[in-house]
Amino acid sequence: MQSSEHTGFRGRAKFIVGGVLILAAVIYLIFSATQANAQYFMTVDDLHTKSDSLVGKSLRISGAVVGSTIQFDPNTQNLTFEIANVPGDNATVAAEGGLSKVLHDAVVDPTRRRLDVVYKGPRPDLMRDEAQAIITGHLGQDGVFYADELLLKCPTKYQQAVPSQVGNS
């Protein structure tokens, strides 16, 4: 016969091993889900530089809306427009005269890189020339950015710098 002490230890050991395995599985699931849903925040220049490796990945892009390119079809709810590259860090934005000036300069400079954007949904009220666009979506094989979410900031209402960059890899 086995002693009751030995049986109790084996029971506790099974419980501890089972708990560790469950904890490891939960940590793995959380980590893998976080990595799969990670979004990289980039400028238009960053996207063009790394476009081959970013096709189909979930991304967040920031740029200045080029007003002359805005087209909206109310029947299909398709909104197409271009965004121009703006600097990706707050120090550069401040050094170049603030967000309003940076957005204006980006739109009027024909040498700035631009990105075609397609968004399906209602036309936002703030969709206008020189608005700051923060767009979540993915880059298609055709080089067009397909937006799932669209956040617009009018520089005269929001006198703050561009959002902080994360995950530029």
Side-chain angles (χ1 to χ4, degrees):
M1 274 184 116
Q2 295 179 338
S3 71
S4 63
E5 254 180 57
H6 185 66
T7 306
F9 176 73
R10 283 181 52 179
R12 276 189 244 131
K14 287 181 184 179
F15 178 73
I16 290 171
V17 169
V20 168
L21 288 175
I22 290 171
L23 181 62
V26 168
I27 290 171
Y28 171 76
L29 290 173
I30 290 171
F31 179 76
S32 63
T34 302
Q35 291 298 90
N37 293 325
Q39 293 177 335
Y40 298 103
F41 180 81
M42 316 185 116
T43 64
V44 174
D45 279 348
D46 293 337
L47 182 66
H48 279 285
T49 302
K50 303 174 186 177
S51 63
D52 292 340
S53 64
L54 297 174
V55 170
K57 291 187 179 178
S58 182
L59 304 166
R60 183 168 285 163
I61 306 294
S62 178
V65 174
V66 181
S68 62
T69 65
I70 299 170
Q71 295 180 1
F72 180 68
D73 182 344
N75 296 324
T76 63
Q77 297 275 304
N78 276 342
L79 175 65
T80 60
F81 59 98
E82 288 181 0
I83 58 172
N85 186 66
V86 293
D89 65 284
N90 293 338
T92 304
V93 170
E96 291 184 12
L99 185 59
S100 295
K101 183 168 182 347
V102 166
L103 292 171
H104 173 75
D105 291 349
V107 169
V108 298
D109 183 355
T111 64
R112 294 269 181 120
R113 277 211 173 132
R114 294 186 176 186
L115 178 66
D116 291 324
V117 178
V118 174
Y119 174 71
K120 186 158 181 75
R123 181 182 169 142
D125 290 338
L126 292 177
M127 176 54 75
R128 61 182 61 137
D129 192 39
E130 298 181 14
Q132 180 187 14
I134 301 171
I135 309 162
T136 303
H138 68 278
L139 183 65
Q141 291 281 356
D142 55 2
V144 174
F145 193 81
Y146 294 93
D148 300 319
E149 293 180 36
L150 175 59
L151 173 66
L152 297 163
K153 295 181 178 181
C154 181
T156 57
K157 284 186 165 185
Y158 304 99
Q159 292 295 335
Q160 60 188 12
V162 296
S164 299
Q165 303 291 303
V166 291
N168 281 346
S169 52

